[in-house]
Amino acid sequence: MMKFAKYDTKAIDIKTAWMATNAVSEVDIIENINDEYELWIGKNFVEMYETFDIAKRNAEAKVSFTVKWED
């Protein structure tokens, strides 16, 4: 499972932003002011989704990530 952490941003068209903490490349999911979730991989916009969970699943399908097993 890809893990995301919120981060602060000052853009006027962004409500909330998350960055993957265990991806091999930069992966961001951004909730914009239209309540849509944008998936960004590196500096490239991928697509918009209706929910964070759908955006996260698509990120996991498109990008490699590291899984840390815990007991």
Side-chain angles (χ1 to χ4, degrees):
M1 176 177 283
M2 193 173 281
K3 297 188 183 288
F4 284 86
K6 284 186 181 180
Y7 66 92
D8 291 331
T9 181
K10 301 288 186 205
I12 61 171
D13 59 343
I14 295 175
K15 290 170 79 174
T16 310
W18 298 266
M19 179 183 294
T21 59
N22 61 338
V24 295
S25 61
E26 183 178 345
V27 178
D28 297 295
I29 297 175
I30 296 171
E31 181 184 13
N32 64 31
I33 58 173
N34 296 322
D35 296 323
E36 298 167 317
Y37 295 83
E38 304 174 7
L39 174 58
W40 290 79
I41 299 173
K43 304 262 185 231
N44 299 313
F45 170 74
V46 176
E47 196 170 342
M48 280 195 259
Y49 303 97
E50 292 182 9
T51 68
F52 176 83
D53 289 331
I54 294 171
K56 182 179 174 182
R57 283 197 303 265
N58 279 277
E60 291 173 341
K62 296 176 188 309
V63 177
S64 298
F65 58 95
T66 305
V67 176
K68 180 180 176 187
W69 294 100
E70 297 180 359
D71 291 325

